[in-house]
Amino acid sequence: MNETIVARQPGRWQLRWAVARQEMVNIARHPYYLVSFGIPIFMSLAFALFVSALGETDELIVAVYDAGSSDWAATLAKWEDVTVRMVESETAVHTALDDEATAGILIPAGFDTAVAAGQSPELVVYVNQEARNDHIAIVTRRLSDALWTMGEAPPPAMISWQETNARDGGLTFSVEEYIVVIFVILGICMTTMGILAQIIVEKRETGSLPALLASPLTFGDLLWGQSTAVFLYTMLLSAILLALNGGLVGNVGVTAVSIILTTCALLALGLWFGLWSQSKNQCNAYTGVMGIVLVIPSWFALVPPENLSLPLTVGLRLLPTTYLVELLNQSLNGTATWTTAGINLLVLGMFTAVFFGLVRWRLQRQPVW
Amino acid sequence: MIEIKNLKKYYGENNAIKAVDDVSFICPDGQITGLLGPNGAGKTTTLRMIIGLIKPGAGTVIVDGRDVTREPGKVRQLLGVQADATGVYTRMSPREQFRFYGRFYGLRGKQLEERVQAVIDELHMQDIADRQAEGFSRGQRQKIVLGRALVHNPPNVLMDEPTNGLDVMAVRQTRDTIQAMKKQGRCVLFSTHYMDEAERLCDNIAIIVGGHIVAVGSPEQLMQQTGQSRLEDAFVSLAGREYLTYSDYGSQPADGQALPVAGD
């Protein structure tokens, strides 16, 4: 032959990334996979429409009682996307909070003068705990920005945060957060495991596996690449679902790590079912049942733990998604820190390690075909 | 060049099923070598051991001086493998599939695009290169499979029953491609059970029956050896008796002794 090999042997990660790219195209062009990714998004949008049809409003209302005709109150009225309602008394602020306002601000008499004198006067801000988390986050940020426009160090005013309409003791988070949890878990469980298992089985069913393995690609590289593609799609889906449902609030870092760890655990399950199943139908049946089981913890997210029976509590503890529910609960309502979330993250990590250990064990005992 | 030496693969309890038993032959560069045998003779198992997909029980496969067991990755870099035509991605165009496979061999950027275009031109696929493969005929799919095998410009090409199930025009095109590869100086090894194809194309033929080689030589040598004027008759003469024996028992005789070969 007058020409020889035209390229040098690629590295393992180059091979895996090549597979990941191909699988991402494959998934994007496959109607079934697209529908799988689209259903949680569609349901999420449909729910938002349903809620708005019931009369709930997306309007962000802040009630302001200005006891001393402060100039600063006028700057609040200029906030975009926020309806600022000037009320005549502190009582009217509470009435507004009981109705639909996200926050209430009491501006004391002589506020502007005290700020100018560097006395850092107290500014009482009521936060409606029944309001949407993203609305609370917006108000908090806007208020802070508005205060700092009045001066630099020392702080122009000391904000005294007061919670109103506190949730019942047993109810650990709001309905809005519950919806975020439901859709995120539904999205991950419906896509990650099932699609990964199916694209693994697909290679055997279509007969493309021998040709792939006749190249420098190993079976391990193939599984890595396929898992990477599904992981990236799951991350995209999760981000969309969080954004659509106001889930990008609270401790976003804990939310992200929780979702990543759960996705990894479900990828391991997808690998297991993909290696185990002989056909796509078989694969659908296994992952469908497993998906339903994994969604169950989200059903009980609004139920106080003490109200659950012991067998149910123990059963739920065996599912990785239980820990995701708890982590999302903490992170969305802003109570999560890396310390408080640490144990649940550790348990999720252990689930992931055990599942991948099982996959490795199976791979060592199972012929490629 | 591919050198197969004393290759063995046994399965089952006490290695009772001898899928491939002491197979040896050489496929030189610039020549077409045919691996002929009836269904279940061990052709595909032998090819899979050459590629490194199945670990041999014993024996060695040397591709351009490299041992497939010791350096499987490097050997695969030297091989182009055309497997069955069903393994085509229907939601990708031929061009995309060639790019996909090209990346496995380290091709990137301009180099990759040039090789992909060269394969498309070589296999006369310009009209279908950018269409998704859904609905392609078997012949068109076969071209994709062949193109994937050639995209990295390998010096050795393995083909498993390349004309199986193709119509007359597709068979002719595939045979022309195989001839072209020979002219380019590649080492071509293909398995088939079509005698006329082997007679037309092959410089060397290895006949495998019941997992072991019963004869090796050029078509002329095999015909001369058996006193037959057609390769099919020579094949039947060489393989027939053993085939009947193995069909009866499902494997080579337990004592491993070769049966006498017609014409010996």
Side-chain angles (χ1 to χ4, degrees), chain B residues 14-249:
Chain B
N14 301 320
N15 292 325
I17 301 166
K18 297 180 177 178
V20 173
D21 189 24
D22 208 20
V23 164
S24 300
F25 58 95
I26 292 173
C27 314
D29 288 340
Q31 292 193 14
I32 300 170
T33 304
L35 187 59
L36 262 64
N39 290 332
K43 300 188 296 289
T44 301
T45 305
T46 302
L47 288 180
R48 286 185 171 177
M49 282 193 283
I50 295 170
I51 302 160
L53 294 179
I54 299 175
K55 197 177 174 185
T60 53
V61 177
I62 308 291
V63 178
D64 292 343
R66 294 183 187 276
D67 189 326
V68 71
T69 312
R70 289 181 189 160
E71 299 176 284
K74 285 183 179 168
V75 166
R76 284 174 195 160
Q77 197 84 2
L78 298 165
L79 291 172
V81 180
Q82 177 266 317
D84 197 272
T86 55
V88 162
Y89 300 106
T90 53
R91 288 179 293 278
M92 291 172 78
S93 69
R95 190 185 298 278
E96 288 172 324
Q97 299 193 44
F98 298 161
R99 280 189 195 128
F100 174 46
Y101 272 73
R103 290 190 190 103
F104 292 160
Y105 297 93
L107 294 171
R108 295 283 179 278
K110 192 181 168 197
Q111 195 182 32
L112 175 63
E113 292 306 319
E114 283 174 357
R115 276 304 304 160
V116 166
Q117 191 57 50
V119 169
I120 288 168
D121 294 341
E122 193 176 333
L123 298 176
H124 309 292
M125 298 176 74
Q126 292 87 345
D127 55 334
I128 56 167
D130 297 302
R131 268 174 45 198
Q132 286 191 26
E134 184 80 59
F136 274 21
S137 69
R138 189 172 172 90
Q140 289 170 325
R141 286 166 182 248
Q142 186 70 281
K143 282 186 177 183
I144 293 176
V145 175
L146 189 54
R148 294 188 321 206
L150 297 177
V151 71
H152 61 297
N153 201 17
N156 307 280
V157 180
L158 270 64
M159 308 171 89
D160 192 5
E161 301 186 354
T163 57
N164 199 16
L166 299 184
D167 63 31
V168 176
M169 296 307 290
V171 165
R172 182 159 289 196
Q173 278 193 346
T174 305
R175 288 175 181 170
D176 289 346
T177 305
I178 294 171
Q179 292 279 22
M181 289 192 284
K182 175 188 171 182
K183 284 179 188 162
Q184 290 163 348
R186 298 181 207 264
C187 160
V188 181
L189 168 62
F190 77 96
S191 73
T192 184
H193 48 248
Y194 297 134
M195 296 303 134
D196 61 325
E197 185 168 274
E199 191 172 348
R200 284 185 200 190
L201 293 175
C202 293
D203 299 295
N204 298 297
I205 289 173
I207 296 177
I208 184 169
V209 182
H212 77 171
I213 298 290
V214 295
V216 177
S218 67
E220 294 74 24
Q221 284 172 330
L222 296 178
M223 286 187 280
Q224 197 176 17
Q225 188 180 338
T226 54
Q228 303 290 342
S229 57
R230 293 168 60 219
L231 183 63
E232 184 174 324
D233 296 329
F235 174 80
V236 171
S237 178
L238 287 163
R241 188 173 166 189
E242 295 214 357
Y243 180 54
L244 290 173
T245 306
Y246 299 144
S247 297
D248 289 344
Y249 296 103

Side-chain angles (χ1 to χ4, degrees), chain A residues 5-6 8 47 49 100 112 115 174 204 301 315:
Chain A
I5 293 295
V6 290
R8 63 191 170 86
F47 182 81
L49 279 175
E100 53 186 344
D112 294 354
V115 170
S174 71
R204 282 207 296 273

Side-chain angles (χ1 to χ4, degrees), chain A residues 197-221:
Chain A
Q198 287 205 42
I199 61 176
I200 291 169
V201 173
E202 192 179 55
K203 291 284 178 289
R204 282 207 296 273
E205 272 197 342
T206 59
S208 54
L209 193 56
L212 285 169
L213 299 181
S215 75
L217 190 76
T218 66
F219 193 49
D221 295 329

Side-chain angles (χ1 to χ4, degrees), chain A residues 66-124:
Chain A
D66 182 7
S69 302
S70 164
D71 289 340
W72 185 68
T75 65
L76 301 184
K78 292 176 187 168
W79 281 352
E80 289 177 4
D81 308 326
V82 177
T83 304
V84 176
R85 284 191 190 157
M86 303 304 293
V87 296
E88 297 304 318
S89 65
E90 187 174 344
T91 309
V93 169
H94 288 289
T95 305
L97 285 165
D98 286 340
D99 188 7
E100 53 186 344
T102 297
I105 302 172
L106 303 183
I107 304 175
F111 180 73
D112 294 354
T113 313
V115 170
Q119 294 170 348
S120 295
E122 185 184 47
L123 185 71
V124 176

